[in-house]
Amino acid sequence: MEAQKKIDKSTSAVVIYPPSSFSKKALIDSLEKYSFLYKESIENPELFWGKAAQEIEWFRSWEKVSNGRFIDSQWFCGGSLNVAFNCLDRHLKGDRRNKRAIIWEGENGECLSYTYEELAKEVAIVANVLKRHGVRKSDTVVIYMPLIPQAIITMLACARIGAIHNVVFAGFSAKALLERIQDSEASIVVTADGGFRRGKIIPLKARVDEAASMSSQIKKVLVYKRVGCSIQMIPGRDYWMEEELQKVEEHCEPIALDSEHPLFILYTSGTTGKPKGIVHSSAGYLVQVALSTKMIFDLKEKDLYWCTADIGWITGHSYVVYGPLANGASIFIYEGAPDYPSVDRFWRLIDAHKITIFYTSPTAIRAFIKWGTSWIENYDLSSLRLLGSVGEPINPEVWLWFYRHVGKERCPIVDTWWQTETGSILISALPGATPMKPGSATLPFFGILPDVVDEKGQSLPPGRNGFLVIKRPWPSLLRGIHKDETSFKKIYFSRIPGVYFTGDGAYKDEEGYFWITGRIDDVINVSGHRIGSAEVESALVSHPAVAEAAVVGIPDSTKGEAILGFVTLKEGYLPSTELSEALKDHVVKEIGSLARPKEIRFLDTLPKTRSGKIVRRLLKEISLEGRITGDTTTLEDSQFIDKIAKAKNDFP
Ligand code: PRX
């Protein structure tokens, strides 16, 4: 782990100021205003967050803004509210009643939209269906669905009745789904017959069946019809949602929930082989996602806002669903792939729907660059006024391409740094105020106190690479890891006492801008999605041919990072191209296609310390640089370096 590498600060030379036409109309229109408000928010956080909480509606007001430190953090203590009420009902009083809440386009081009009134009605009906099937306050409901409005409706239906949703990304395999169902103790799954992706059908219900065949925990499956493929329905367990919707009434009273009532669990990868169920609260989460959406995306009543994330990830939770809907925004969602039927699909969507805010990932932008600028030129993107990036460090040249070719140098870019655990964006430009530096997530959001420190927690001077930490709790901080308090304390709060440990490396420049350099733990960031090395390793060793496995992330020109797997084989197995492909397929089956290794290398041994720990760092260094510079004295097999240097995959 390199904590203090000196960084060439020349990268911070480019500064791009927000266009004055944008700043004039922005909520926060100058750096001075940002600095003044930021200072106030840090000096008097109770006042700042107390004011922010007035932006949402409470059934009972809170008595104290916050209580506790990091591990026992509570916000808006004593208050009660309903998150779905805040995202729907309160918009029904005025003009927003008939405003479009969701505009959806399917991969095949079909469109559907819901006004706030229509959305509220659908949510109430689905909430009644859930209740009819026995779902009660604090029960967990697993949602395994394609990106269709019904997925969002189901999330909000859970929130309405105090059920805790656990959305599992539709790209996860049956096994990964089952692991998340079991860990979250859910007995009901809401799914669809299938979803469309690049013209193919993703067999969601069949995967739920496969998961259910491995466990008796799944008692009920509610199935939306999306693709019309033939599926098996087990009487007494499986129900067509369309039929169930007819059986319940249209009114469902939102229940009053304590501020700290869990809103959802969302699984993310860590450094162990097991995904962590990150738990978020109701009030603190909602207050902060609502405020950050409003400020960072400078939301205006007439905006049509498109965040391209899937609801299976935290970005989909905070900045597709809860933040925008809490603000009464019109959101656009698209079911399918950016390159279907051709690579201009996103530009066509922006042009056709007149999207004004476009929030996507560096991986998507790198793919656009690869596909070529000519694909953009046929479309009118003049409706755009703001761009955003999330999920991975964005290379300055990729940032500049996005700025020039998509934003036409008119649209500020907000590079937003945050995590599943932080719940909302913690470091980002405010688009009308912050001078942007391509490649930097820029400055902290209100109330957030980040720093770059060394192993001992000492603040590092500008230009020195270290650990990114957050020094003070914030309302949307995770409240725990489901059923694992020990890991919760250990991962985030023990390595450097008194602060939140992000797992990211970073440095600050002379002007206090944050430059995130990537993960410093064994988490690989593939296309902005976190994948634990240990998870892929356990998938590999579950294959009959594999004795041991080690997995590292290597730079990839499109995906940011790609997975490189090293394996040793059991007696009787020989390296071959077929086996390499079979192992990649096996990982897909165990986890999902997002975890497919780019390459598998066969070795006779893996580098281990004398205590038997695999040293991934060495494998990474050799694969990237062809040599080792770090300390190798603790290696069990001192000949290893020579062996691996000689190892080539030149099998028949
Ligand atoms: O390494 C950071 C990277 O993504 C990690 C969080 O991943 P996840 O919990 O899946 O959430 C992704 C969406 C918020 C971080 O620890 N990351 C996220 N945003 C950025 C980033 N790295 C650099 N710049 C960003 N803007």
Side-chain angles (χ1 to χ4, degrees), residues 268 314-315 389-394 415-421 441 502 504 516 518-519 525 528 530:
T268 188
I314 190 67
T315 310
S389 166
V390 61
E392 323 148 55
I394 180 164
D415 173 3
T416 61
W417 178 89
W418 59 297
Q419 307 175 302
T420 305
E421 294 88 338
T502 65
D504 276 357
I516 316 295
R519 301 290 307 189
N525 193 333
R530 273 158 69 167

Side-chain angles (χ1 to χ4, degrees), residues 167 204 211 246 295 382 443 563 591:
V167 183
L204 296 175
Q246 307 304 319
M295 298 287 177
S382 61
L443 299 170
I563 296 171
I591 304 175

Side-chain angles (χ1 to χ4, degrees), residues 54-118:
Q54 283 165 14
E55 299 272 313
I56 66 165
E57 267 189 45
W58 298 83
F59 291 156
R60 186 181 61 236
S61 267
W62 73 94
E63 285 145 20
K64 196 163 186 277
V65 170
S66 73
N67 216 352
R69 277 292 288 172
F70 283 106
I71 48 165
D72 53 358
S73 189
Q74 294 181 332
W75 287 80
F76 311 111
C77 315
S80 90
L81 77 166
N82 184 283
V83 170
F85 176 92
N86 271 282
C87 291
L88 301 166
D89 309 50
R90 76 182 168 126
H91 304 312
L92 304 183
K93 291 171 207 154
D95 291 346
R96 283 185 185 154
R97 184 183 196 99
N98 297 315
K99 180 177 175 175
R100 290 184 305 173
I102 300 181
I103 297 155
W104 170 81
E105 186 167 320
E107 202 180 62
N108 299 325
E110 66 273 52
C111 289
L112 201 61
S113 74
Y114 292 79
T115 62
Y116 269 96
E117 185 175 24
E118 289 162 344

Side-chain angles (χ1 to χ4, degrees), residues 2 25 50 57 200 266 287 289 291 319 336 347-348 361 427 436 453 464 488 546 573 600:
E2 350 162 75
K25 297 183 200 152
E57 267 189 45
K200 292 203 185 98
L266 182 63
V287 167
V289 293
L291 182 77
Y319 297 107
W347 318 127
R348 194 186 306 179
S361 67
I427 304 176
M436 297 161 283
V453 300
R464 294 276 293 278
F488 175 54
V546 176
Y573 289 93
I600 299 283

Side-chain angles (χ1 to χ4, degrees), residues 38 55 80 110 136 191 197 210-211 268 314 356 413 510 574:
Y38 177 73
E55 299 272 313
S80 90
E110 66 273 52
R136 300 284 169 261
T191 189
R197 186 85 186 165
E210 194 186 334
T268 188
I314 190 67
T356 62
I413 297 179
E510 301 285 351
L574 290 173

